[in-house]
């Protein structure tokens, strides 16, 4: 701010001297400041010429020289002030645009506390190696990637993800460098040195983004060069029309400087900074521009559209044991295995509040299954062939295999005391936000969505239909994914979203690769142009919206700014805008263009209009749904097996189920209708945005009431009629809970 301050001071002093009758002294001061600005500008122009670059600064130099030559000292001083203030405004706006990027760089961890034997020493993070034991104190940053060693920890990951709420990490959980310890001190073990950790990769990407120049910026520079001959041509026309050198000066003044070279880089950098604030790292301006042009999207399936890990879908009984007994025995045995499916079974049993017993005499056949003794019963758990080889064949198991094929699910069969007793069905669940994320992507301008997967065709088809993709390619190797992307690149700018190491070639092959939830050290994040630090697919749509908005603001600044400058030049040619007024007008144009470009730092109307709910409130809503899951499973069991039990037993179980529905389900849904939905409706657009869900509530109330009446009728309804009603209620509740879960997830502020 030194140069604009000095130029303003000289201008003010000159005005005072002129008012006191010392016009010659004022002119000398004004000419001196203008010539100083001209010298500095000439040095800058010569330096650019050595780099074989030329810009519209040449017009500013011509304007100052012409003003001094024709004795317009005040105009020369105003141009010098305009030039200095323009540079200061550009520097200030550039710093604002890079604020989030600089914040990420400046807070990079530099020191860490490391244990050497039993003593602590403070060392630079560059000295940390994988395997070192570290201490992270309250308020300190996690210096490198690693794992929690001792107790649960509370971390502030807002700098990484843009989410303000703290997160919990348990012993054994992975940690990403850059997170802030918001709780008690804890110990961790480094898994990577500093140069290979998440935050180092983030800093590398941010530095590349700061130094990059987008194609649109370079194109803007070339277009700016057109202004020089246009300005000179208009100045020549002004001379021919009037023969007045002051008109020539007026044309030169209003052409200095050019809004084109101010609007574009500021808007592009503002967009990159805005993305960084939301946990979306973009490597350079060229990537942001490519995002803005994207029309075709390729998606990996596993870990991108799905959760990427096994989840238990259901526990099915062959009839001799209840589902709860089967789950308890299977989970007790599964505790002895490190297999992912076994761990998922254990987690499901624990979520249902089942107490597990220690298995004895456990033997595991890798890849097939395991067996052992649980509570005096010989239990087997594993694939169908493994379990069937030691048990008597049952028609039930053949039907279960057909169901698994239809539903594209895996299964672990359970045998108890040598008899096939049931099965645990599991699959890789669809991400909760996937269907909505694809809808948002289409709203953001994506016209064609293709799913690429190495999985079998039937599994891919099931996921693709659930989320609504346009095209599916299954059974692909990494090379096959690259080939599929290559075939589609001629149809517009393509994006590829993936999360695994095997996605790295495909991410590199697309015009823009987007690594989902990457920690910054994997092959996928190195190959990608965009890295999402938040493991949410809907952030891809947000990145597209920010990119399109930033580019639109840049184009808007160019068109409006250049249009106003050209209009001012035409007015100057016609003699309606003298040089002194032209300098003021051009300064106003520059201010308007810079202010408009900085709008890219903020949220657009769509983001501002989207409501967000506190994360703890969302968690409480999910916990309420989780508490009702056992009741829903009980309802499903009754709906599917009511006719298998003796009539008296069926009536007794039905009466208990109806009582549980009245005491647990109905109050929950009524509370949602009376208190939750009115609060949500005030946050959502439209007169009655939750009308469909409210209608579902009323149908649930009606079906439960009808079920109670049918069971209590003196004559008694047939079990077949009641079973049909149970099936309707089960289907309705499954859909209703899924819709509410998706709604809550979309409103989550984290």
């Amino acid at each position: 701010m030194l140069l604009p301050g000095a130029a303003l001071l000289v201008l003010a002093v000159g005005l005072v001297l002129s008012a006191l009758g010392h016009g010659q002294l004022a002119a000398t001061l004004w000419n001196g400041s203008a010539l100083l600005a001209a010298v500095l500008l000439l040095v800058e122009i010569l330096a650019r010429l050595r780099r074989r670059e030329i810009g519209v600064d040449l017009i500013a130099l011509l304007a100052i020289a012409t003003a001094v030559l024709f004795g317009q000292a005040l105009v020369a001083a105003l141009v010098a002030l305009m030039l200095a203030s323009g540079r200061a405004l550009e520097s200030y706006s550039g710093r604002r645009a890079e604020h989030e990027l600089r914040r990420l760089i400046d807070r990079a961890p530099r020191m860490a506390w490391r244990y050497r034997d039993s003593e602590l020493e403070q060392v630079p993070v560059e000295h940390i190696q994988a395997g070192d034991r570290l201490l992270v104190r309250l308020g300190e940053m996690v210096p490198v990637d690693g794992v929690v060693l001792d107790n649960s920890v509370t971390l502030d990951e807002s700098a990484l993800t843009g989410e303000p709420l703290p997160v919990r990490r348990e012993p054994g959980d992975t940690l990403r460098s850059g997170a802030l310890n918001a709780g008690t001190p804890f110990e961790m073990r480094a898994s990577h040195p500093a140069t290979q950790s998440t935050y180092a990769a983030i800093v590398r990407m941010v530095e590349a983004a700061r130094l990059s120049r987008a194609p649109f910026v370079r194109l803007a520079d070339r277009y700016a060069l057109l202004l020089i001959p246009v300005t000179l041509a208009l100045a020549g026309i002004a001379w021919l029309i009037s023969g007045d050198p002051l008109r020539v000066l007026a044309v030169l003044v209003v052409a200095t400087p050019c809004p084109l070279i101010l609007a574009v880089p500021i808007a592009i950098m503002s967009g990159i900074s805005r993305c960084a604030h939301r946990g979306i790292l973009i490597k350079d301006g060229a990537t942001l521009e490519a995002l803005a042009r994207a029309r075709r999207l390729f998606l990996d399936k596993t870990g991108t559209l799905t959760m990427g890990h096994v989840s238990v879908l259901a526990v099915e009984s062959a009839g001799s044991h209840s589902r709860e007994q089967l789950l308890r025995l299977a989970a007790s045995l599964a505790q002895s295995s490190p297999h992912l499916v076994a761990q998922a079974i254990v987690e499901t049993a624990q979520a249902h509040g089942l107490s597990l017993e220690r298995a004895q005499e456990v033997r595991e056949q890798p890849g097939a299954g395991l067996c052992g003794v649980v509570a005096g019963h010989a239990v087997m758990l594993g694939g169908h062939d493994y379990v069937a080889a030691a048990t008597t064949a049952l028609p039930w198991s053949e039907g279960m295999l057909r169901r698994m094929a239809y539903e594209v699910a895996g299964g672990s069969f359970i045998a108890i005391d040598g008899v096939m007793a049931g099965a645990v069905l599991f699959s890789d669940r669809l991400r909760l936000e996937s269907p909505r994320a694809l809808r948002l992507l289409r709203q953001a301008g994506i016209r064609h969505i293709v799913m690429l997967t190495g999985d079998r065709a039937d599994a891919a088809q099931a996921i693709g239909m659930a989320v609504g993709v346009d095209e599916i390619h299954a059974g692909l190797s990494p090379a096959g994914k690259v080939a599929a992307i290559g075939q589609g690149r001629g149809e517009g700018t393509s994006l590829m979203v993936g999360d695994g190491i095997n996605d790295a070639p495909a991410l590199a092959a697309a015009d823009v690769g987007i690594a989902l939830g990457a920690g910054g050290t994997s092959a996928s994040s190195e190959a990608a142009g965009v890295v999402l630090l938040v493991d949410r697919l809907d952030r891809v749509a947000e990145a597209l919206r920010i990119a399109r908005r930033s580019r639109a603001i840049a184009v808007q600044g160019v068109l409006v700014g250049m249009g106003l400058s050209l209009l001012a030049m035409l007015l100057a040619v016609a003699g309606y805008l003298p040089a002194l007024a032209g300098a003021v007008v051009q300064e106003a144009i520059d201010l308007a263009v810079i202010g408009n470009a900085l709008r890219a730092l903020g949220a657009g109307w769509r983001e501002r209009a989207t409501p967000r709910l506190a994360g703890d409130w969302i968690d409480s809503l999910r916990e309420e749904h989780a508490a009702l899951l056992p009741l829903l499973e009980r309802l499903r069991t009754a709906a599917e097996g009511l006719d298998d039990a003796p009539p008296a037993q069926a009536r007794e179980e039905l009466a208990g189920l109806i009582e549980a529905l009245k005491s647990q389900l109905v109050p929950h849904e009524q509370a949602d209708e009376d208190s939750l939905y009115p609060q949500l409706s005030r946050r959502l657009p439209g007169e009655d945005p939750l009308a469909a869900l409210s209608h579902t509530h009323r149908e649930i109330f009606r079906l439960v009431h009808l079920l109670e009446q049918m069971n209590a009728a003196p004559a008694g309804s047939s079990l077949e009629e009641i079973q049909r009603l149970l099936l309707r209620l089960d289907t309705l509740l499954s859909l209703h809970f899924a819709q509410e879960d998706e709604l809550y997830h979309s409103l989550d502020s984290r």
Side-chain angles (χ1 to χ4, degrees):
M1 296 298 291
L2 181 61
L3 284 178
L8 182 61
L9 178 62
V10 168
L11 181 65
V13 170
L15 289 173
V16 171
L17 290 174
S18 180
L20 294 174
H22 302 288
Q24 188 59 43
L25 182 58
T28 302
L29 277 176
W30 288 336
N31 282 330
S33 69
L35 289 174
L36 177 61
V39 169
L40 295 175
L41 191 57
L42 180 61
V43 171
E44 183 178 331
I45 290 172
L46 292 175
R48 295 188 65 178
L49 285 174
R50 280 197 294 270
R51 300 194 301 269
R52 297 183 178 181
E53 298 177 3
I54 189 170
V56 292
D57 290 340
L58 181 61
I59 299 175
L61 184 62
L62 289 175
I64 293 174
T66 305
V68 172
L69 180 64
F70 292 124
Q72 298 295 314
L74 179 56
V75 173
L78 277 174
V79 173
L81 175 62
M82 182 174 64
L83 194 64
S85 61
R87 289 287 191 275
L89 285 171
E90 187 177 4
S91 175
Y92 167 74
S93 58
R95 288 195 302 272
R96 275 206 61 193
E98 294 181 7
H99 173 70
E100 291 297 329
L101 302 181
R102 289 184 177 277
R103 188 171 72 92
L104 286 171
I105 294 173
D106 293 343
R107 69 187 299 279
R110 292 177 173 82
M111 303 295 290
W113 291 99
R114 180 176 65 183
Y115 283 100
R116 181 177 294 276
D117 297 326
S118 59
E119 295 186 359
L120 274 174
E121 60 177 359
Q122 191 174 29
V123 297
V125 292
E126 294 81 9
H127 295 174
I128 297 174
Q129 300 297 321
D132 285 349
R133 188 162 63 99
L134 310 173
L135 176 69
V136 183
R137 301 182 300 182
L138 173 63
E140 292 184 341
M141 194 178 300
V142 176
V144 296
D145 291 357
V147 295
V148 182
L149 287 182
D150 45 10
N151 53 297
S152 299
V153 301
T154 302
L155 299 176
D156 175 4
E157 295 186 348
S158 57
L160 298 174
T161 65
E163 303 301 346
L165 297 177
V167 296
R168 297 281 295 175
R169 294 286 183 263
E170 303 298 329
D173 286 353
T174 58
L175 298 172
R176 293 189 293 179
S177 58
L180 197 69
N181 181 14
T184 57
F186 66 89
E187 294 182 8
M188 62 171 288
R189 189 171 303 283
S191 59
H192 295 87
T195 55
Q196 298 176 15
S197 288
T198 296
Y199 212 80
I202 290 173
V203 169
R204 288 194 297 269
M205 288 188 67
V206 167
E207 287 285 9
R210 288 185 60 241
L211 299 175
S212 71
R213 285 165 60 80
F216 190 25
V217 175
R218 292 191 291 269
L219 186 62
D221 288 343
R222 291 198 295 272
Y223 286 160
L225 294 181
L226 294 176
L227 187 67
I228 296 176
V230 169
T231 300
L232 295 177
L234 289 175
I237 293 172
W239 173 265
L240 291 175
I241 291 175
S242 65
D244 184 359
L246 295 183
R247 285 202 190 184
V248 175
L249 175 61
V251 172
L252 295 176
V253 167
V254 295
T256 309
C258 178
L260 185 64
I261 59 174
L262 297 176
V264 178
I266 293 172
I268 295 297
M269 188 55 65
S270 295
I272 293 176
S273 189
R274 172 69 183 167
C275 284
H277 177 69
R278 296 293 296 154
I280 305 164
L281 293 185
I282 297 180
K283 283 187 175 179
D284 49 40
T287 301
L288 185 82
E289 281 201 49
L291 272 176
R293 298 192 306 269
R295 293 293 182 270
R296 190 175 183 87
L297 174 68
F298 295 90
L299 286 163
D300 178 48
K301 179 181 78 70
T302 304
T304 302
L305 290 172
T306 66
M307 299 297 293
H309 56 79
V310 173
S311 298
V312 172
L313 293 177
V315 179
E316 300 297 342
S317 172
S320 57
H321 296 77
S322 69
R323 287 180 170 86
E324 184 176 292
Q325 289 175 320
L326 289 174
L327 180 58
R328 185 177 63 82
L329 291 173
S332 297
L333 178 61
Q335 291 180 108
S336 304
S337 173
H339 196 278
L340 292 177
V341 173
Q343 294 306 307
I345 293 173
V346 173
E347 291 172 4
T348 302
Q350 292 172 340
H352 282 74
L354 301 180
S355 59
L356 306 184
E357 300 193 29
R358 185 175 181 180
Q360 306 290 332
E361 303 175 22
V362 178
R363 299 187 305 276
E364 183 168 4
Q365 184 176 331
L370 67 163
C371 60
V373 177
V374 179
H377 296 282
V379 181
M380 295 186 70
L381 176 68
H384 177 263
D385 293 342
Y386 172 77
V387 177
T391 60
T392 304
L394 292 177
W396 175 89
S397 60
E398 295 300 323
M400 184 55 59
L401 288 172
R402 287 194 297 271
R403 175 183 167 184
M404 289 164 53
Y406 297 149
E407 297 185 6
V408 197
S412 288
F413 286 80
I414 308 167
I416 299 176
D417 296 327
V419 178
M420 185 76 74
V424 179
L425 303 187
F426 53 83
S427 72
D428 184 6
R429 288 183 185 271
L430 192 68
R431 283 179 180 268
L432 195 58
E433 77 270 15
S434 289
R436 175 177 177 271
L438 265 62
R439 294 195 300 271
L440 293 176
L441 284 163
R442 294 188 192 278
Q443 293 173 16
I446 296 296
R447 296 173 183 167
H448 195 76
I449 300 177
V450 183
M451 186 175 76
L452 307 177
T453 179
D455 208 346
R456 62 189 192 276
D458 52 356
Q461 191 71 30
I463 295 297
M465 291 178 65
V467 297
V469 300
D470 300 309
E471 192 177 335
I472 298 171
H473 295 274
L476 296 179
S477 64
K481 293 181 181 180
V482 171
I485 292 172
Q487 292 172 3
R489 290 189 68 178
E491 301 176 21
T493 302
S494 62
L495 308 181
M496 170 66 193
V497 182
D499 76 314
I501 292 177
N502 63 336
D503 295 327
L507 293 173
D511 293 309
V512 179
I514 302 178
L516 180 64
T521 58
S522 68
S524 60
S525 64
E526 293 295 332
V530 179
V531 174
L532 304 185
L533 299 177
V534 184
D535 193 21
R536 288 185 57 148
L537 186 59
D538 48 12
R539 287 293 174 92
V540 178
E542 187 172 353
L544 285 175
R545 288 199 303 270
I546 293 173
R548 294 193 198 286
R549 182 169 181 267
S550 300
R551 193 175 191 277
I553 288 174
V555 172
Q556 184 183 80
V558 168
L559 295 178
V560 173
M562 288 302 298
L564 290 175
S565 292
L566 287 172
L567 177 61
M569 282 191 281
L570 292 174
L571 291 174
V573 169
Y576 295 114
L577 190 65
L580 192 60
V584 176
V585 168
Q586 186 58 53
E587 185 74 0
I589 293 173
D590 293 342
L591 285 171
V593 167
I594 290 174
N596 182 70
L598 287 174
R599 287 195 302 116
L601 280 173
W605 68 268
R606 179 189 294 270
E607 291 179 69
R608 290 195 297 268
T610 301
R612 291 290 182 264
L613 302 180
D616 53 354
W617 192 19
I618 296 294
D619 289 339
S620 68
L621 295 175
R622 289 173 177 157
E623 289 170 3
E624 290 178 15
H625 275 194
L628 288 171
L629 288 180
L631 178 59
L632 298 187
E633 291 181 9
R634 184 177 172 186
L635 172 63
R636 184 171 297 113
T637 300
E640 294 174 352
L642 191 66
D643 55 352
D644 293 336
Q649 180 183 343
R651 291 286 181 181
E652 182 181 351
E653 292 178 356
L654 182 60
L657 173 61
I658 294 172
E659 186 59 35
L661 291 172
K662 289 171 57 182
S663 62
Q664 298 177 46
L665 176 68
V666 171
H668 166 79
E669 301 298 346
Q670 190 64 60
D672 281 357
E673 183 67 26
D674 294 341
S675 59
L676 176 61
Y677 280 20
Q679 295 182 60
L680 293 180
S681 295
R682 288 193 292 270
R683 300 166 182 262
L684 297 172
E687 293 184 1
D688 191 7
L690 298 177
L693 291 177
S694 291
H695 178 75
T696 306
H697 280 164
R698 293 191 296 273
E699 183 64 11
I700 292 171
F701 301 151
R702 189 185 72 83
L703 291 179
V704 172
H705 179 67
L706 182 58
L707 191 61
E708 182 182 19
Q709 285 187 320
M710 291 175 67
N711 192 52
S717 301
S718 68
L719 289 177
E720 290 78 5
E721 292 176 315
I722 292 176
Q723 189 171 26
R724 283 196 295 270
L725 188 61
L726 289 173
L727 288 169
R728 288 174 58 189
L729 182 59
D730 174 53
T731 303
L732 182 64
L733 286 171
S734 297
L735 179 61
H736 181 65
F737 271 49
Q739 289 173 327
E740 285 192 333
D741 285 340
E742 183 178 339
L743 173 64
Y744 301 156
H745 189 76
S746 68
L747 299 177
D748 196 341
S749 62
R750 289 167 296 187

